[in-house]
Amino acid sequence: MLPVYICEDDAGLRAAQRKYLERQILIGELDMEVVLCSGHPGEILQAVEASPGRGIYFLDVELKGESMDGFVLGQEIRKLDSRGFIIYVTAFADLAFETFRYHLEALDYIVKGDMQRMYGGIRHCLDVIAERMCEENRQARSYFSVKVMDVVKHIPVDEIMFFETAGRTHRIELHGQRDRMDFIGSMRELEQKFGDDFLRVHRAYLVQVAQIAQLDLKNREILMRNGERCLFSRKARERLLDRLAVKEK
């Protein structure tokens, strides 16, 4: 979840920004949360330092009565969060030169004054961030492509529980996190494709080790994280115990 920070010295505007952000996050079911709303840049920095990671920062430029303005605050945030999203909410329309001078990469500049225009700018920034995060997640995940009837489906590898021989020659059943699908394939080819991440625990089953929740040694059953069960052979018992011991270290 991406934490959202607001630094604005006007209490009324600060509250309005928070309310609008929380509403948009709820409506859009975005993986974000407003964690701090403050008029003091020092409080923002302390919070970011205490919870390092990527965040979203809505910053005012003029912070009256404070030892640093929004540009200096952004500079300090960049030292702690090089990949965070910084958005300036300001009365000044053109800040490109200043952000260049402070070596900042701002996502956007939202001009104060017209509340509806400000809200539109905030909504646009959330949409851009959500799209970027989805794209990054797509690129980071590995997918298994399989042809089912006349449709090619792309299943995230981390959502595969296990493969099972479907009882017919050259038919494999994929057990996913939420669904199952039947396709033409070979267990031997799947073993070679997925390598050490999957383990052949039985003539009929190829299991993703990371998705194993529990072993029932007495009944030689594997309980998967999605609640499904499959069998393992006597010969696979020691290999399973070894792999799970390694996984738990």
Side-chain angles (χ1 to χ4, degrees):
M1 181 174 292
L2 284 174
V4 179
Y5 302 87
I6 302 169
C7 192
E8 165 62 56
D9 63 0
D10 184 312
L13 194 56
R14 189 166 66 238
Q17 287 178 19
R18 177 169 199 154
K19 183 177 180 181
Y20 185 77
L21 276 163
E22 290 178 336
R23 183 167 177 268
Q24 291 304 308
I25 290 169
L26 182 64
I27 291 172
E29 298 182 338
L30 302 175
D31 194 21
M32 307 171 186
E33 181 185 10
V34 179
V35 297
L36 181 59
C37 192
S38 173
H40 307 294
E43 290 183 0
I44 300 291
L45 287 177
Q46 285 179 3
V48 176
E49 200 164 20
S51 300
R54 197 175 193 182
I56 304 171
Y57 309 89
F58 288 88
L59 309 180
D60 187 11
V61 173
E62 285 191 310
L63 298 169
K64 298 179 181 67
E66 298 295 331
S67 59
M68 65 180 81
D69 63 13
F71 292 128
V72 176
L73 174 58
Q75 201 172 37
E76 293 302 310
I77 286 172
R78 273 283 173 256
K79 295 176 183 177
L80 301 168
D81 182 2
S82 62
R83 299 174 64 235
F85 301 97
I86 294 178
I87 301 107
Y88 282 105
V89 185
T90 174
F92 304 99
D94 187 7
L95 295 174
F97 177 75
E98 287 299 306
T99 53
F100 174 78
R101 187 164 69 87
Y102 281 93
H103 304 288
L104 295 168
E105 292 180 15
L107 178 66
D108 205 353
Y109 313 102
I110 301 172
V111 180
K112 297 178 186 178
D114 184 330
M115 293 295 284
Q116 292 308 310
R117 185 179 174 188
M118 183 185 76
Y119 289 153
I122 290 174
R123 186 170 61 250
H124 172 72
C125 285
L126 294 180
D127 289 343
V128 169
I129 292 168
E131 186 176 336
R132 286 192 187 179
M133 295 303 296
C134 283
E135 182 60 29
E136 288 181 17
N137 290 337
R138 280 196 294 270
Q139 292 175 356
R141 295 179 92 179
S142 297
Y143 288 81
F144 174 62
S145 299
V146 58
K147 186 175 181 181
V148 180
M149 303 295 286
D150 294 325
V151 178
V152 176
K153 296 190 175 184
H154 305 285
I155 301 95
V157 172
D158 58 16
E159 291 187 5
I160 298 173
M161 299 293 120
F162 59 90
F163 294 97
E164 178 185 6
T165 53
R168 290 178 290 161
T169 306
H170 303 305
R171 302 299 300 188
I172 304 291
E173 187 170 19
L174 184 155
H175 293 248
Q177 201 169 66
R178 290 175 290 273
D179 53 14
R180 298 182 184 184
M181 58 195 70
D182 182 272
F183 63 97
I184 296 173
S186 157
M187 279 292 203
R188 185 184 297 276
E189 290 177 0
L190 291 171
E191 280 187 86
Q192 293 173 349
K193 177 179 180 62
F194 291 111
D196 291 340
D197 292 337
F198 283 70
L199 187 63
R200 188 74 175 269
V201 297
H202 187 280
R203 181 173 53 82
Y205 298 104
L206 178 65
V207 173
Q208 179 159 199
V209 178
Q211 293 291 358
I212 295 175
Q214 187 177 313
L215 291 183
D216 180 344
L217 298 177
K218 181 180 179 181
N219 295 307
R220 296 209 310 274
E221 278 191 339
I222 299 171
L223 174 66
M224 307 305 294
R225 292 188 184 277
N226 70 341
E228 287 194 86
R229 294 176 180 271
C230 64
L231 300 174
F232 66 89
S233 67
R234 287 190 179 89
K235 290 198 299 184
R237 183 179 185 276
E238 292 306 316
R239 283 185 295 151
L240 266 169
L241 291 173
D242 288 344
R243 290 295 302 278
L244 292 175
V246 170
K247 196 179 82 167
E248 292 169 357
K249 285 182 180 177

